[in-house]
Amino acid sequence: MTDVVGKLWGYAHSLRHDGVDYGDYIEQLTYLLFLKMADEQAIELPMYVDKDPAGSDVQVPCDWPHLRKQSGTELTEHYSKLLVALGKQQGMLGDIFSGAQNRLTKPATLSRLIKAIDETEWTSLDVDVKAAAFEGLLEKSAAEGKKGAGQYFTPRPLIRTMVRLIQPDPRAHRQFTICDPACGTGGFLVAAYEWLKEETGGALDRETAKQVRASTYYGQELVERPRRLALMNLYLHQVDPHITLGDSLYEAPDSRRYDVVITNPPFGNRGANQAPVREDFTIETANKQLNFVQHVLTILKPGGRAAIVVPDNVLFADKAGEVFEILMQDADVHTVLRCPRGTFNPYTPGTNTNVIFFTKGRPTRKVWVYDARANVPKITKKSRPLTPAHFAEFEKCYGGDPNGLSERAIGDSPENRWRSFTIDEVRERHYKLDSFKWLRDEDLDDPDELPEPEELITEAMEELQLALDGLIDMQKLLGNGSGGVL
C-alpha cells in the first residue's frame, strides 16, 4: 500500500509544477481510478455524441481503453467531454462525476497520470489495500493543503476512538442507519464500516451484508469535491452510501432518523450571517456548531446515540448555555472528552477541540469529563504526532457501553483526568461545559509550550464569558431584592 501511495503522491508533487493543486489532483485521480476499475470489471459505460471531421454525429465511448488511446489536445478535449457526459448519468456514476471538470489542461500531464494508473491492476488489489491507498492520499492532501483542511479531514486516531466507543453496529436491527451530516471525505463512515469488519471478521450473513452495503451509511456534504471523494472512498470499500449534496443547517431535514450520528462539523462561522429558519431549532443562533448540535438532536432516533467534535468556544459561546440546557433535557450528555492541544495540527493548528457523547431520549443526570489536554505536550505534525495512545486511557474510562452506562469511577484514571459532575453542578455553571477544569496545566508555565495566540484569545473570551455570567447572576439577585445590604 505504501508503494502505491508513494507512487501516486510522487505524481502529485510533479503536477504542482503544472499548477495543479493537491485537491485538484486527488479529484482527477478519483475520476481516472473509477474509469480504470470500471474497465477491469467489464462495466459498460455510456457514450456521448460528438462531431466527426465531416460534421456528422458520432458515438464516442467514455471507457478507459478509448481514453488511453488519445493523445495531444484530442486527449484533453475527449476527457473533458466524457466527464460532462458521465455527470449526467443516474446513480453512483452520476454522483461521482456530478459537476466534474478537467483540471489537467496539459495533454502531457494527463497522459502521464493515465499511464501511471494503467500500470496497476486495481481490482486485483485487496479491497483494504486500494481503499487504504486512497485514504492515504486524502490524508497527505489534507496535511499538505492550505489551512482549513481539517473541516474535511479528521485525524484518524480520534475517528477510530469515537467509532469504537459509539459502536455503530448495524446488526442490531434491519433498519439500523448511521449518519454523518458533515461528512467531508467520508472518514467517519469508512471507519464505521471498518470497525464492523473488525468486529465480525468480515463474516456476515447474505441478508445483513446486503443491508450493510446498500442501506446503512448516510451523509450530507455542502461542497461538491469532498462529497465526490467520500463517494469514491466508500465505493473503494465496496459500500454504496447515500450521501446528498446540500446544507445540513439551512435546509430542513427529511423524515429519516438515524440510530447513530458521528460527525466533525466545520470549524468557524464563516458564511453564518443569520440563524437558520428551522422549526425544530429551539434556540435561535447563527453559531454553526451550536446549530449542528441542535441538528444532530433532531435527526437522531429516540434512543439513538451521537458523538460530535466541537471547538472549545462552542462550550461557552453566546447561546451555548441555552442550547446545552435543551440538549440535556432531551438527551443524556454522559461524556465529554477534552482533546489534546494541537489535535488538528496541521489542518487548523490554533483550534482546541472536544468530543461530546450523548444518547437521545433520557435527561442528563451526570456528565463525565476526561481531560486529555492538561500537561500533555502539544501535538505536532512530525515530532509529536497524534496516536491511539493519546486516547487509550479515555477509552478504558468510557467503558464498554456505547450509551455511557458502564460502571465508572474517578479512580479509573491514575492521573486524575476523569471526573463527574451532577446536573445541578452543570446548571450552576450555566451549562457551560468548558468551565469544568481541575488540573493545573503546567505546560502553560513553559514558554516553549505556550498556546497559539488564537488559543489564548479563546481562553480569555471564555474567562470573560464566565465572569459575565457571574455578573448576570448578581444582577438577578439585586433585582429580586436579595442584595439590599450591598
Side-chain angles (χ1 to χ4, degrees):
M1 186 274 286
T2 304
D3 291 342
V4 174
V5 173
K7 178 180 177 181
L8 293 175
W9 192 246
Y11 280 99
H13 281 300
S14 65
L15 291 177
R16 289 284 288 167
H17 298 298
D18 294 335
V20 180
D21 69 25
Y22 296 115
D24 284 339
Y25 170 69
I26 300 294
E27 190 171 43
Q28 300 303 311
L29 185 65
T30 297
Y31 306 147
L32 295 170
L33 276 176
F34 190 99
L35 293 172
K36 176 64 161 63
M37 289 190 292
D39 179 57
E40 292 172 1
Q41 296 171 309
I43 296 173
E44 187 174 343
L45 295 178
M47 296 188 177
Y48 68 87
V49 177
D50 202 3
K51 298 289 186 182
D52 64 14
S56 302
D57 287 348
V58 291
Q59 295 284 328
V60 181
C62 291
D63 59 22
W64 183 258
H66 190 77
L67 176 67
R68 190 177 51 198
K69 287 190 299 186
Q70 307 305 306
S71 62
T73 55
E74 290 182 359
L75 172 61
T76 51
E77 289 174 3
H78 169 62
Y79 180 54
S80 298
K81 291 174 182 177
L82 77 81
L83 291 179
V84 173
L86 294 176
K88 296 177 181 178
Q89 302 304 305
Q90 298 296 314
M92 174 73 85
L93 187 63
D95 285 339
I96 288 181
F97 288 91
S98 175
Q101 292 183 331
N102 176 21
R103 305 290 184 188
L104 305 175
T105 55
K106 294 183 178 180
T109 299
L110 178 56
S111 178
R112 195 162 67 241
L113 187 54
I114 289 172
K115 288 176 182 175
I117 292 173
D118 201 44
E119 289 173 1
T120 301
E121 188 78 11
W122 290 88
T123 51
S124 67
L125 294 175
D126 183 82
V127 62
D128 293 330
V129 173
K130 55 178 176 272
F134 194 72
E135 280 271 286
L137 288 168
L138 290 175
E139 186 169 11
K140 280 182 173 289
S141 177
E144 296 289 341
K146 60 185 179 181
K147 184 179 178 181
Q151 64 183 299
Y152 301 136
F153 195 88
T154 306
R156 291 306 176 247
L158 179 59
I159 285 182
R160 291 180 184 121
T161 286
M162 292 169 64
V163 168
R164 277 194 294 268
L165 297 180
I166 212 75
Q167 297 179 30
D169 195 340
R171 295 172 297 171
H173 58 82
R174 292 295 185 191
Q175 288 76 44
F176 193 96
T177 50
I178 302 159
C179 179
D180 180 351
C183 72
T185 56
F188 280 110
L189 298 178
V190 166
Y193 178 67
E194 288 178 338
W195 173 84
L196 178 66
K197 285 177 62 181
E198 290 172 7
E199 288 292 303
T200 63
L204 296 171
D205 64 76
R206 183 176 298 179
E207 195 62 32
T208 303
K210 181 180 178 182
Q211 166 209 336
V212 165
R213 290 194 171 121
S215 57
T216 296
Y217 300 96
Y218 290 77
Q220 184 150 314
E221 173 51 46
L222 180 64
V223 182
E224 268 192 353
R225 176 183 286 176
R227 176 191 179 237
R228 190 187 333 278
L229 299 180
L231 288 165
M232 186 64 177
N233 204 356
L234 284 144
Y235 171 79
L236 289 172
H237 285 81
Q238 298 183 330
V239 172
D240 186 4
H242 303 267
I243 299 177
T244 55
L245 183 67
D247 193 319
S248 290
L249 297 182
Y250 289 86
E251 299 169 7
D254 59 24
S255 60
R256 184 179 292 278
R257 298 296 179 260
Y258 305 94
D259 295 274
V260 167
V261 175
I262 185 165
T263 188
N264 170 25
F267 301 152
N269 284 300
R270 184 177 298 173
N273 298 320
Q274 59 184 20
V277 180
R278 292 268 297 264
E279 292 183 3
D280 56 312
F281 283 10
T282 307
I283 305 302
E284 185 175 313
T285 174
N287 185 295
K288 281 185 177 180
Q289 290 80 31
L290 288 176
N291 283 328
F292 261 105
V293 171
Q294 296 191 88
H295 178 68
V296 170
L297 184 61
T298 290
I299 64 175
L300 271 178
K301 293 178 182 176
R305 54 191 182 271
I308 312 177
V309 178
V310 294
D312 274 8
N313 64 346
V314 171
L315 302 183
F316 65 85
D318 182 39
K319 300 291 182 75
E322 296 172 59
V323 169
F324 278 92
E325 181 178 9
I326 296 296
L327 178 65
M328 290 183 176
Q329 291 171 1
D330 295 345
D332 181 8
V333 184
H334 52 79
T335 311
V336 177
L337 166 67
R338 296 186 75 222
C339 296
R341 190 174 289 109
T343 289
F344 277 79
N345 268 337
Y347 319 120
T348 48
T351 303
N352 281 332
T353 53
N354 311 266
V355 183
I356 56 174
F357 297 82
F358 61 87
T359 301
K360 183 176 178 177
R362 61 174 189 264
T364 303
R365 301 297 184 199
K366 180 186 293 186
V367 181
W368 284 86
V369 181
Y370 187 91
D371 188 345
R373 185 180 307 165
N375 303 312
V376 174
K378 183 177 180 179
I379 304 302
T380 62
K381 179 181 175 182
K382 293 181 179 178
S383 61
R384 292 197 298 259
L386 191 71
T387 69
H390 283 97
F391 305 117
E393 185 180 273
F394 168 61
E395 291 191 33
K396 291 179 183 176
C397 290
Y398 188 101
D401 189 291
N403 295 302
L405 297 177
S406 296
E407 193 74 23
R408 293 173 168 183
I410 293 175
D412 291 343
S413 171
E415 296 183 356
N416 193 30
R417 296 186 177 278
W418 184 232
R419 285 202 179 180
S420 64
F421 302 91
T422 66
I423 188 61
D424 289 336
E425 291 175 297
V426 174
R427 191 179 295 115
E428 287 172 4
R429 301 289 187 96
H430 302 274
Y431 297 90
K432 304 292 177 70
L433 294 178
D434 198 50
S435 64
F436 293 104
K437 297 174 183 175
W438 61 96
L439 292 175
R440 174 179 170 79
D441 196 341
E442 296 175 2
D443 281 344
L444 298 182
D445 298 330
D446 183 350
D448 294 328
E449 292 291 343
L450 285 176
E452 299 283 339
E454 178 183 341
E455 191 176 328
L456 291 171
I457 292 171
T458 298
E459 291 180 359
M461 289 173 59
E462 175 186 353
E463 296 297 332
L464 287 171
Q465 184 63 52
L466 292 173
L468 180 60
D469 289 341
L471 288 172
I472 291 172
D473 284 346
M474 187 177 295
Q475 186 179 43
K476 288 178 180 178
L477 286 172
L478 290 171
N480 290 335
S482 302
V485 294
L486 298 177

